[in-house]
Amino acid sequence: MTDATARLGSRDQDFEQLGIDRSAVRPWEDGARTDGAPGTYEWWYFDAHLDDGAKLVVVFLTKQFTDITQPLTPMIRLELELPDGTAHNKIATFPAAQFTASSEGCDVRIGDHSFSGDLHTYRITAELDGVSVDVTLTGEVPPWRPGTGHWWFGPGRHKLFAWLPAVPQGVVRATYQVGESAPVTTGGSGYHDHNWGNAPVNELINHWYWARGEAGPYTVIASHITAEKRYADTALPVFLLAKDGRVLADDGSRVTFETLGTYRDGTTGKPVAGVTRYQYRDGDDTYTVSFVRERDLAAAKLIDNLAGPKKLAARLAGFDGAYLRFTGELRVEHRTGSTLVDTHAAPAIWELMYLGPTHDGPRQGSGD
């Protein structure tokens, strides 16, 4: 690899050197992959659409990933949107001594809060500032990863961004409570993934769109990652389409990506697509996956998560990273030739993470 390259580890030697089985995900892959030391980051993520109309996101982090120079600084992020649209967004930081995580499987504890599971069944509990959740997630689509799930930037394999969708889709049973209101117990559909790395994400990646959802018999995970300018603006596509719980399409090199109806967000100043569309071609078959924005769940400047000298330094450096989360419609269309075979639509959640300066457009990347 040259200084200007970024690639997904998908070669046989990549699997061999990492000790990863190409045909199966193992429980240890969802265990702790870093020790929380300076120069690393890691998080375990969960989101759900609940049957009563509520939406839930819970993330356990070893630290704020926009500043990985700090030592282990465990954090929990909890976002609960009630059926009436009322949003409760909570973030809490804990002493390092209150964090434990197994390297053999997903068993993460931060204070009295926990995120644990075995690639099939997970239990997540958290309570922040009067908002509490207790969730069970049971997988319906098996754990999956694109290639090894490891992307390397620059020469060698020193700068890493890694990702594992441990539960691409699952059944949720959740109880949530806000303040003194009565607890609510409901079902739903959920997702869990795991990220880690050893280099500042904003030095590797300019921005990404990431989405997941279910529509009819289909499950979708779709992401379009654009590397920073120093890595040639390389586009790193990720795509999983499953039908009835079985993987149907997952070769990122067969995907084309487009954005439509771009506007400038008033809070963050970033260009945002009203529609993101992924098209997967396999012989005569074409699968088109579209995410159509209806409204924002979150829109924030990342600098607002910093404080004191770090915030001042970021401001002086011109850092203008942003995070946006959307809700809207996911639509999946399957065509054979020009014939529409089937189409399904359903609500979905997706995000835009903007870590670098506003980007003009990606170039196609490599999975090899």
Side-chain angles (χ1 to χ4, degrees):
M1 296 177 66
T2 67
D3 288 341
T5 59
R7 74 172 181 94
L8 169 66
S10 57
R11 304 167 182 166
D12 288 343
Q13 60 264 38
D14 296 328
F15 285 91
E16 293 169 5
Q17 291 173 8
L18 291 168
I20 291 177
D21 188 338
R22 185 184 284 273
S23 62
V25 177
R26 305 300 181 188
W28 64 266
E29 296 182 57
D30 202 21
R33 307 302 303 275
T34 72
D35 60 5
T40 68
Y41 65 87
E42 189 162 13
W43 70 80
W44 291 260
Y45 170 96
F46 162 82
D47 75 37
H49 289 276
L50 301 180
D51 291 341
D52 67 348
K55 299 174 180 65
L56 177 62
V57 175
V58 183
V59 192
F60 281 38
L61 307 94
T62 60
K63 65 189 66 173
Q64 177 56 254
F65 71 90
T66 55
D67 182 13
I68 70 171
T69 61
Q70 62 184 315
L72 175 64
T73 310
M75 304 174 66
I76 297 175
R77 194 175 90 225
L78 192 161
E79 300 173 8
L80 174 64
E81 183 184 278
L82 300 178
D84 66 2
T86 303
H88 298 273
N89 299 321
K90 308 294 183 181
I91 298 176
T93 302
F94 298 80
Q98 294 188 20
F99 176 88
T100 62
S102 170
S103 61
E104 297 180 1
C106 181
D107 187 3
V108 186
R109 315 263 169 178
I110 301 178
D112 296 329
H113 320 281
S114 64
F115 196 132
S116 59
D118 60 2
L119 298 180
H120 179 67
T121 303
Y122 285 78
R123 174 85 182 279
I124 303 161
T125 63
E127 181 177 359
L128 302 182
D129 192 22
V131 179
S132 64
V133 296
D134 187 337
V135 176
T136 299
L137 171 66
T138 304
E140 295 181 299
V141 175
W144 171 84
R145 53 175 137 63
T148 62
H150 291 61
W151 285 264
W152 291 295
F153 296 76
R157 297 173 4 138
H158 302 300
K159 294 184 177 182
L160 170 69
F161 174 79
W163 175 60
L164 171 70
V167 181
Q169 178 185 325
V171 175
V172 168
R173 192 67 179 168
T175 298
Y176 63 84
Q177 184 174 14
V178 178
E180 299 300 320
S181 64
V184 176
T185 299
T186 184
S189 175
Y191 165 93
H192 157 53
D193 69 14
H194 177 193
N195 283 82
W196 65 98
N198 64 3
V201 182
N202 59 300
E203 293 183 7
L204 307 179
I205 296 171
N206 181 271
H207 66 279
W208 70 65
Y209 279 98
W210 172 90
R212 74 99 183 167
E214 306 92 48
Y218 294 103
T219 298
V220 175
I221 299 175
S223 182
H224 195 269
I225 302 168
T226 301
E228 257 300 344
K229 184 176 181 179
R230 72 187 71 183
Y231 303 111
D233 303 333
T234 303
L236 302 167
V238 176
F239 189 84
L240 168 68
L241 183 65
K243 185 176 183 180
D244 296 323
R246 299 180 61 184
V247 175
L248 189 67
D250 67 349
D251 181 353
S253 68
R254 295 177 181 269
V255 177
T256 57
F257 174 76
E258 64 177 332
T259 57
L260 303 170
T262 299
Y263 65 96
R264 191 159 303 268
D265 176 68
T267 299
T268 65
K270 294 297 186 181
V272 177
V275 177
T276 52
R277 181 166 293 155
Y278 303 79
Q279 194 165 71
Y280 187 100
R281 292 184 175 88
D282 184 6
D284 291 336
D285 291 306
T286 301
Y287 298 91
T288 302
V289 175
S290 302
F291 292 87
V292 182
R293 172 189 171 274
E294 294 176 357
R295 60 187 175 86
D296 297 344
L297 293 177
K301 297 179 179 180
L302 296 181
I303 199 170
D304 292 340
N305 292 327
L306 304 176
K310 291 179 180 178
K311 185 170 186 176
L312 177 60
R315 194 181 301 279
L316 292 173
F319 176 66
D320 66 345
Y323 175 77
L324 299 103
R325 181 178 293 277
F326 318 102
T327 185
E329 182 187 74
L330 159 64
R331 180 171 294 277
V332 180
E333 296 179 346
H334 174 204
R335 295 179 184 273
T336 298
S338 60
T339 302
L340 179 64
V341 177
D342 65 357
T343 181
H344 297 272
I349 292 174
W350 64 100
E351 70 181 24
L352 169 59
M353 178 68 79
Y354 231 115
L355 296 161
T358 299
H359 203 282
D360 293 330
R363 301 173 187 173
Q364 189 62 35
S366 172
D368 189 75

